[in-house]
């Protein structure tokens, strides 16, 4: 009998035609994708991750899978089921790979491997390529052994300074893949440098409900309805409630910004990912910190914040903050820049790739700098607009999902 706890869930998505992207991404980009698609037509591809909802990976897969299918590639999105214990361990591994002190103990290792072995047994045969995302499905390839598929491990996190115990534990499993993909060259751990590695940053989907152009009156109406006063400045951070995104530091910085620019409001938009047990505790701490402050809105998917609302907030904000301490990529940065909104962001992981010096806003290393740069931009809306426009141009050129898809298909073909 198959245990329900190990049956991978298929996420059903309709194909999307690449033709729709020609205007925004360029005819040449679409033509190259069609060409790559012809070479891979009929190939069976599985993307495997741990949640269909919440966080950047599910955001990417939600947009990528329909495009694969639009190209005639037989692609599926499979979600591995877990339980509280498994997701506790995988979140700990995630944090540890980003440098947290707490590494896996014996019980954690056993739990992880036991559930991974059950998932490996339940995994379906017949794929030409399997792309496993992040630590949750990282052991499947090794535990399944050779099954006729080429396996790729796609790392979305900042592994530049990993906890040695976590890395040492995962290296044999990660290393069993035919290729590894990282967002930046410097994320590749020394122990894995001899493997076949591709560097592919993610990208945003310009046609998704989160990123398509909304009429200004619609954006403003949605933001106003959420409790924001449109006649006063608005600063926004959109992220999972996660310590690496430093939401408490954002509140701290915001209170100091408000002293200099009176009337400024803060909206913290957060999402509870299904595989992120830490989110609830962080949410509680944020509510405690913001309690009684009428100018701080804490909004979540449980109070009606979906993709369109995120779009509206990113479009309407005078300034977006992304005060990350560690960040694999940070899709939210490109999402905001795409709307022409200036960003003040932590100089972490993949963020500088999206907004190098002078483009999109300012990179900061401390709360003091966050405050100073934010105040400067709130005082000078024209500068904020210029930086935002430069950011949008860079996203169009380098951070769209069509570029990511191209890089990924080239990799599959090279492994063929
Ligand atoms: N997000 C959202 N609603 C929220 C918070 C986040 O839709 O309230 C989305 C956000 O727009 C982005 C993704 O979740 O698309 C987060 O991806 P990112 O790469 O920034 O960070 P991750 O969560 O993967 O660490």
């Amino acid at each position: 009998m198959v245990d329900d706890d190990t049956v991978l869930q298929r996420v059903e998505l309709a194909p999307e035609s690449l033709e729709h992207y020609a205007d925004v991404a360029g005819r040449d980009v679409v033509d190259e994708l069609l060409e790559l698609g012809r070479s891979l037509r009929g190939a069976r591809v599985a993307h495997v991750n741990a949640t269909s909802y919440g966080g950047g990976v599910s955001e990417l897969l939600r947009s990528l899978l329909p495009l694969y299918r639009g190209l005639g590639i037989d692609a599926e999105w499979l979600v591995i089921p877990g339980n509280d214990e498994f997701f506790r361990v995988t979140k700990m591994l995630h944090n540890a790979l980003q440098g947290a002190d707490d590494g896996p103990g014996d019980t954690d290792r056993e739990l992880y491997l036991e559930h991974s072995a059950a998932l490996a047994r339940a995994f379906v045969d017949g794929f030409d390529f399997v792309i496993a995302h992040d630590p949750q499905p990282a052991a499947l390839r090794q535990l399944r052994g050779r099954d006729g598929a080429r396996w790729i491990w796609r790392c979305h996190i900042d592994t530049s300074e990993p906890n040695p115990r976590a890395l040492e534990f995962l290296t044999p499993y990660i290393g069993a893949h035919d290729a590894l993909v990282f967002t930046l060259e410097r994320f590749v751990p020394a122990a894995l440098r001899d493997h076949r590695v591709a560097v592919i940053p993610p990208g945003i989907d310009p046609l998704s409900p989160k990123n398509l152009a909304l009429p200004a009156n619609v954006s403003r109406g949605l933001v106003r309805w959420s409790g924001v006063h449109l006649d006063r400045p608005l600063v926004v951070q959109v992220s999972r409630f996660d310590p690496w995104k430093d939401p408490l530091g954002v509140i701290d910085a915001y209170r100091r910004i408000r002293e200099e620019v009176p009337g400024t409001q803060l909206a913290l938009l957060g999402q509870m990912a299904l595989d992120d047990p830490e989110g609830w505790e962080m949410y509680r701490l944020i509510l405690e910190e913001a309690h009684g402050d009428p100018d701080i809105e804490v909004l979540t998917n449980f109070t009606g914040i979906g993709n369109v609302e995120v779009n509206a907030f990113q479009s309407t904000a005078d300034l977006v903050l992304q005060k990350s301490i560690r960040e694999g990529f940070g899709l939210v940065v490109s999402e905001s820049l795409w709307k022409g909104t200036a960003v003040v962001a932590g100089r972490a992981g993949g963020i500088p790739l999206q907004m190098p010096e002078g483009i999109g806003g300012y990179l900061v290393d401390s709360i003091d700098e966050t405050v100073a740069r934010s105040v400067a931009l709130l005082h000078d809306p024209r500068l904020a607009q210029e930086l935002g426009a430069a950011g949008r141009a860079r996203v169009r050129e380098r951070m769209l999902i069509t570029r990511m898809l191209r890089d990924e298909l080239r990799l599959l073909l090279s492994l063929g």
Side-chain angles (χ1 to χ4, degrees):
M1 202 182 90
V2 184
D3 182 353
D4 274 346
D5 202 21
T6 59
V7 178
L8 283 91
Q9 312 291 319
R10 182 173 284 124
V11 183
E12 297 296 340
L13 294 168
E16 163 74 328
S17 165
L18 261 299
E19 290 301 332
H20 295 142
Y21 288 74
D23 281 350
V24 58
R27 186 70 244 170
D28 50 334
V29 175
V30 169
D31 283 343
E32 185 180 354
L33 283 168
L34 295 172
E35 183 66 39
L36 287 164
R38 276 191 282 280
S39 309
L40 283 160
R41 181 150 303 159
R44 288 204 65 202
V45 178
H47 279 270
V48 184
N49 82 322
T51 177
S52 60
Y53 179 77
V57 179
S58 61
E59 186 79 21
L60 286 171
L61 296 182
R62 173 64 188 85
S63 289
L64 270 182
L65 265 290
L67 295 176
Y68 267 86
R69 298 174 70 110
L71 288 171
I73 301 169
D74 187 1
E76 288 189 25
W77 176 3
L78 299 175
V79 175
I80 60 165
N83 47 52
D84 292 351
E85 276 298 277
F86 181 72
F87 287 144
R88 180 190 60 72
V89 175
T90 56
K91 185 70 200 287
M92 183 263 282
L93 290 170
H94 170 111
N95 286 340
L97 286 179
Q98 294 221 122
D101 289 339
D102 190 19
D106 289 346
T107 315
D108 301 323
R109 290 169 194 237
E110 270 166 35
L111 261 164
Y112 177 75
L113 291 178
E114 201 181 301
H115 189 63
S116 297
L119 291 170
R121 283 193 297 276
F123 198 84
V124 226
D125 277 327
F127 290 108
D128 298 302
F129 301 96
V130 180
I131 305 171
H133 296 261
D134 281 345
Q136 298 93 332
L140 294 189
R141 200 282 185 263
Q142 206 271 352
L143 294 170
R144 268 179 73 72
R146 301 233 151 250
D147 62 358
R150 305 274 176 196
W151 282 70
I152 296 164
W153 186 63
R154 163 84 228 205
C155 180
H156 294 272
I157 53 193
D158 177 346
T159 43
S160 53
E161 292 172 40
N163 171 310
R165 266 199 298 152
L167 185 65
E168 169 257 327
F169 169 56
L170 285 173
T171 294
Y173 302 102
I174 294 172
H177 292 77
D178 299 284
L180 312 176
V181 178
F182 291 85
T183 295
L184 293 179
E185 189 76 47
R186 69 182 179 79
F187 288 176
V188 186
L192 293 164
R193 291 230 172 96
D194 290 342
H195 284 72
R196 180 168 185 149
V197 169
V199 174
I200 306 180
I204 62 158
D205 182 348
L207 302 189
S208 72
K210 180 164 292 166
N211 295 315
L212 53 74
L214 293 176
N217 66 326
V218 173
S219 289
R220 290 170 65 79
L222 289 166
V223 168
R224 192 205 56 72
W225 187 81
S226 296
V228 169
H229 300 272
L230 293 174
D231 55 349
R232 287 158 46 193
L234 173 64
V235 173
V236 172
Q237 174 155 310
V238 178
S239 30
R240 279 181 302 108
F241 292 140
D242 180 298
W244 299 113
K245 317 276 186 187
D246 198 16
L248 299 178
V250 170
I251 294 179
D252 199 5
Y254 157 70
R255 290 203 164 117
R256 289 172 53 194
I257 294 167
R258 186 174 54 184
E259 279 168 24
E260 310 234 5
V261 189
T264 301
Q265 305 154 94
L266 172 68
L268 280 174
L269 272 55
Q271 206 183 34
M272 301 300 173
L274 300 175
D275 61 342
D276 181 2
E278 271 186 323
W280 289 102
E281 176 57 12
M282 200 69 223
Y283 182 49
R284 194 186 60 73
L285 292 173
I286 292 167
L287 288 181
E288 211 171 272
E289 185 58 39
H291 183 71
D293 191 325
D295 291 338
I296 303 181
E297 297 282 345
V298 182
L299 301 165
T300 72
N301 47 310
F302 297 113
T303 52
I305 297 296
N307 289 326
V308 175
E309 286 77 10
V310 170
N311 186 341
F313 271 87
Q314 289 170 334
S315 305
T316 306
D318 295 279
L319 180 65
V320 163
L321 293 181
Q322 188 55 40
K323 225 200 106 357
S324 304
I325 296 164
R326 286 275 202 288
E327 191 62 79
F329 183 70
L331 284 172
V332 284
V333 171
S334 281
E335 289 167 4
S336 307
L337 297 177
W338 182 241
K339 285 120 195 166
T341 304
V343 178
V344 170
R347 194 189 309 277
I351 292 178
L353 182 68
Q354 301 175 69
M355 41 180 291
E357 219 60 58
I359 294 181
Y362 294 113
L363 296 168
V364 292
D365 295 296
S366 65
I367 291 193
D368 282 353
E369 263 188 284
T370 307
V371 175
R373 293 303 202 178
S374 302
V375 168
L377 287 175
L378 290 173
H379 277 152
D380 190 348
R382 185 181 293 190
L383 173 62
Q385 214 170 31
E386 277 170 22
L387 289 169
R392 178 175 161 91
R394 183 172 175 89
V395 173
R396 185 193 295 278
E397 202 186 302
R398 300 180 56 161
M399 298 302 162
L400 295 184
I401 199 153
T402 36
R403 193 267 313 135
M404 177 190 183
L405 179 62
R406 180 202 67 190
D407 292 352
E408 208 164 277
L409 297 183
R410 283 180 181 167
L411 173 65
L412 297 191
L413 270 176
S414 75
L415 292 174

